[in-house]
Amino acid sequence: MEDLYPQDKRGRITAKGGAMDWIHWQSGTAQLLPQLIARRARGPLFLTDRKAPAGTPTLDMCPETGRGRLSYRRAEEIFEESTRLLANPLASPDDIEDLDGWTLHRLQHSALTHDAEGGTSTPMLLARSRHASVRSLERYARPGVDAVARHVAERDPAARRKR
C-alpha cells in the first residue's frame, strides 16, 4: 500500500530478482482502488477474507485488519471463476461449473495484443509488459486479422488521395 500513488495512476513494485519497477494503470483501475484500499494506509493491497494464521510474516499481513495477503494462486482462482460466463457468452448459467474462465496471464497478454493492434510502439509494449526482449514479447502481442486489415487500409495511398 505504501508504494501506491493513486493520484499518478502508478505504483512501485518489486520485480523478479528483487529489482524495483513501476506499474501503471488506467482510469477504470483508479476508480476501483479506493474499494480495495478501504481507508488502509499500510500492508498488502489484496487481502484474504479471513485473519492471517499465526506465524504469517509481517509483510504478508495487514497491520490494520490482521488479514493475510491474497496469493497469486487464489487471485487466479477467483478471477477464473468470476469470468466463466464472460469467457463463454453462449453458455447457460446452469453450466457454470463445467466452464473455464479467463486467467490473469491471459488478461495481461490480451491487453498487450489490444495495445499492439492500436499501434503502440514496440519499445512501449516492452516497457508496459516488462519483457526484456522483443522475442519474448512477440508471442503475446499478435494483432488479429481485422487489426492488420485496418492498418493496411489506413496506410493505402489511393485511399488517402480520395480524402
Side-chain angles (χ1 to χ4, degrees):
M1 297 277 301
E2 299 87 341
D3 295 326
L4 293 179
Y5 301 91
Q7 68 280 6
D8 297 329
K9 296 183 184 172
R10 66 180 178 172
R12 191 173 44 223
I13 62 166
T14 304
K16 291 179 184 175
M20 297 306 289
D21 207 348
W22 291 91
I23 57 169
H24 300 83
W25 55 83
Q26 294 177 324
S27 298
T29 301
Q31 291 171 346
L32 292 173
L33 269 177
Q35 293 174 38
L36 283 171
I37 293 170
R39 293 189 283 272
R40 292 180 292 125
R42 301 176 304 143
L45 177 60
F46 298 101
L47 300 172
T48 60
D49 290 335
R50 58 184 186 270
K51 299 277 186 195
T56 299
T58 307
L59 288 175
D60 290 336
M61 198 168 83
C62 175
E64 297 174 24
T65 66
R67 292 164 50 200
R69 176 188 307 273
L70 186 67
S71 70
Y72 187 90
R73 182 193 55 76
R74 183 63 184 133
E76 180 88 77
E77 288 172 0
I78 292 168
F79 186 72
E80 190 275 335
E81 289 170 10
S82 300
T83 59
R84 287 178 182 173
L85 289 177
L86 289 171
N88 302 278
L90 301 178
S92 164
D94 297 334
D95 300 326
I96 196 161
E97 292 301 320
D98 299 324
L99 302 174
D100 290 326
W102 292 323
T103 64
L104 292 173
H105 195 72
R106 180 173 174 201
L107 179 67
Q108 176 188 3
H109 293 149
S110 66
L112 290 175
T113 298
H114 290 299
D115 285 349
E117 288 178 344
T120 300
S121 69
T122 300
M124 185 58 71
L125 290 172
L126 284 168
R128 293 250 348 249
S129 68
R130 296 189 317 276
H131 281 102
S133 72
V134 174
R135 190 164 192 118
S136 64
L137 175 68
E138 68 187 9
R139 65 185 252 202
Y140 303 115
R142 290 200 171 162
V145 173
D146 292 339
V148 173
R150 209 171 29 255
H151 174 82
V152 171
E154 289 169 356
R155 286 155 182 79
D156 184 343
R160 285 196 300 241
R161 282 193 290 266
K162 291 178 183 177
R163 290 183 194 163

